Amino acid sequence: MSALHASYKLELSPLRSSIKKSGFVRWRYVFNAQNRDTGEKASFFIELYIINPSLSPDEVVWSDLHAIPEFKDESQLFLPQEEPSLHSYVSLRVGRYGFGGEVVQKFLPSSSFTLNSKFMDIAEGIFHLEGEELSGNMREDGKNASWRLKVERLCHFFPGRMQKDMYWGSPAIRALFSGEMRFCSETYEVVPGSSFGFVDKLWGKDYPYPFFHLSCSHLSSIITGKPLVNASFAVQGIYNNSFALYSEIGDIKLARPRVKNNPNFGCVALDNKLHWTVSVPYRQYLLDIDVFCDSRDMMVRSYICPSNAKSELQVLGGSSGTGEIRLYRRIKKRNLELIEHASLHDVRCEYGGQDQAEEE
């Protein structure tokens, strides 16, 4: 099986019956673009999300758990309240990262969604993926987004089971996007060499807590001063105090569905920035990653738990992270040889946790 065919197979794999009844699938496409009029750089994501599709295939079931009802009689607050229904819908969310970033989101019944071995589609041209072609056109709440893109997938990470009923994989950790993006009445050009694209897929019965993600394909060697063309990495977790890792720097590739050798990782707030750290010993190598992102360039996205409508994953994320990565090789037992030291740009960085709606 070719690498390209394997990427498509991962991207277009059918939904398991167990996921249809109680589970979720999220596809995400992230890329850079340039405003056609101003030349300003922007980073976009296109996110397709499905939750419990077989529960209500013909109707969107959704409830705002955090809305506070206005009771005329306060004694009503002490009466038993009905349990909120489990959510069931297809959601398409398109957003622009950065300060003042915006999101266009549309909810549809799951019957509007089609997935087979050749294409993925939401009816009426709202979303369509087939081969290298990715297109869509949506309008909601007075906002609009449309795109016609080509996606060239350069390397992938096969999925592994992170823990029971929880999976993550990347059809394209490095991807070249090209075409046109129209977002909120502005037009953006997407150029392959500066798109630094990424595609991933997350699915299962529940989300990893805490949620931890880093990925990047825009690296420059501090040692030579030259761009690292065939280099990228992705970290996804946290699963049972560990995470999935993929890294390619030169001809050295590290790929583990779950890192087990006592990795060190964390995310802390420093003034108006967040700081991610990862240190992974693997065989004769040691990989260290440091990433910073301004919180003003990040946005919060929420995901309701498939099996509990009162439980919600809230993720703070951005795509303007910067930092450094170092790859070492162990020499004997105590010495380390520095193989590469690179600066990182346009890092996709996320951190999130579980939020439980209070009983009314």
Side-chain angles (χ1 to χ4, degrees):
M1 181 187 299
S2 69
L4 185 60
H5 181 67
S7 295
Y8 291 152
K9 188 174 181 179
L10 166 58
E11 211 162 342
L12 300 176
S13 57
L15 304 184
R16 297 181 179 181
S17 57
S18 59
I19 296 295
K20 291 181 181 179
K21 295 177 181 178
S22 178
F24 75 96
V25 186
R26 187 206 67 181
W27 292 264
R28 178 174 57 165
Y29 303 82
V30 189
F31 54 92
N32 290 344
Q34 189 174 45
N35 190 296
R36 181 173 292 174
D37 296 324
T38 67
E40 182 181 4
K41 172 185 167 184
S43 180
F44 292 96
F45 66 86
I46 299 171
E47 181 182 273
L48 178 59
Y49 178 77
I50 300 176
I51 182 170
N52 301 333
S54 67
L55 291 185
S56 178
D58 299 318
E59 183 181 2
V60 173
V61 178
W62 180 88
S63 60
D64 187 352
L65 299 178
H66 300 284
I68 301 176
E70 296 180 359
F71 290 93
K72 294 181 179 180
D73 183 356
E74 292 185 359
S75 65
Q76 296 291 316
L77 291 170
F78 301 99
L79 295 178
Q81 303 297 317
E82 291 185 4
E83 289 291 318
S85 299
L86 296 180
H87 289 206
S88 178
Y89 55 76
V90 172
S91 167
L92 182 61
R93 181 158 38 186
V94 181
R96 180 180 58 205
Y97 285 115
F99 185 70
E102 295 185 81
V103 175
V104 183
Q105 184 169 8
K106 192 174 186 68
F107 294 91
L108 304 108
S110 57
S111 59
S112 65
F113 174 73
T114 301
L115 173 65
N116 58 42
S117 61
K118 294 183 179 180
F119 66 87
M120 184 161 50
D121 183 84
I122 297 178
E124 300 179 1
I126 295 173
F127 177 95
H128 187 81
L129 172 73
E130 186 169 1
E132 293 188 340
E133 305 299 321
L134 175 64
S135 61
N137 191 341
M138 62 182 292
R139 182 181 295 273
E140 193 74 7
D141 297 329
K143 299 179 181 179
N144 65 291
S146 63
W147 56 96
R148 186 168 294 277
L149 302 166
K150 180 180 178 181
V151 185
E152 183 180 353
R153 301 157 180 83
L154 299 180
C155 70
H156 62 267
F157 177 83
F158 286 118
R161 188 174 72 171
M162 312 309 171
Q163 59 192 53
K164 186 178 180 180
D165 295 324
M166 194 179 297
Y167 301 83
W168 174 79
S170 175
I173 287 182
R174 275 192 298 121
L176 301 180
F177 282 72
S178 58
E180 183 179 270
M181 178 81 189
R182 294 183 179 180
F183 186 81
C184 294
S185 302
E186 294 183 294
T187 302
Y188 296 82
E189 294 182 349
V190 185
V191 180
S194 59
S195 64
F196 301 108
F198 174 75
V199 182
D200 74 344
K201 182 180 178 181
L202 179 69
W203 71 100
K205 294 282 192 177
D206 201 358
Y207 314 105
Y209 300 111
F211 191 93
F212 188 103
H213 178 87
L214 293 172
S215 58
C216 179
S217 59
H218 188 182
L219 291 77
S220 299
S221 175
I222 294 175
I223 298 173
T224 66
K226 297 180 180 180
L228 295 176
V229 179
N230 299 319
S232 63
F233 71 87
V235 178
Q236 175 67 51
I238 297 171
Y239 310 96
N240 292 336
N241 206 37
S242 188
F243 49 78
L245 167 73
Y246 177 92
S247 169
E248 54 166 350
I249 298 178
D251 58 353
I252 299 175
K253 293 186 179 182
L254 310 179
R256 299 294 297 169
R258 217 177 114 204
V259 177
K260 299 180 180 180
N261 297 334
N262 300 317
N264 295 313
F265 53 89
C267 180
V268 296
L270 301 172
D271 296 326
N272 62 338
K273 291 187 177 183
L274 270 70
H275 180 204
W276 288 258
T277 56
V278 177
S279 182
V280 181
Y282 179 61
R283 295 179 179 173
Q284 73 267 40
Y285 298 105
L286 175 65
L287 186 70
D288 284 337
I289 304 171
D290 272 285
V291 172
F292 295 86
C293 191
D294 193 323
S295 59
R296 294 171 296 184
D297 289 337
M298 306 175 75
M299 63 174 64
V300 175
R301 303 195 309 281
S302 299
Y303 306 88
I304 299 296
C305 175
S307 60
N308 181 3
K310 293 182 178 180
S311 180
E312 183 178 70
L313 169 66
Q314 294 188 344
V315 178
L316 179 65
S319 189
S320 61
T322 59
E324 296 182 358
I325 187 170
R326 295 174 177 84
L327 178 64
Y328 301 91
R329 179 185 287 113
R330 295 188 182 277
I331 306 298
K332 296 183 179 179
K333 290 185 177 181
R334 297 182 180 273
N335 298 325
L336 294 174
E337 174 192 9
L338 181 63
I339 299 174
E340 185 57 83
H341 181 196
S343 57
L344 307 174
H345 316 274
D346 301 313
V347 184
R348 292 162 291 272
C349 37
E350 296 177 319
Y351 192 79
Q354 187 177 25
D355 180 67
Q356 192 79 17
E358 295 183 0
E359 296 284 348
E360 295 177 352

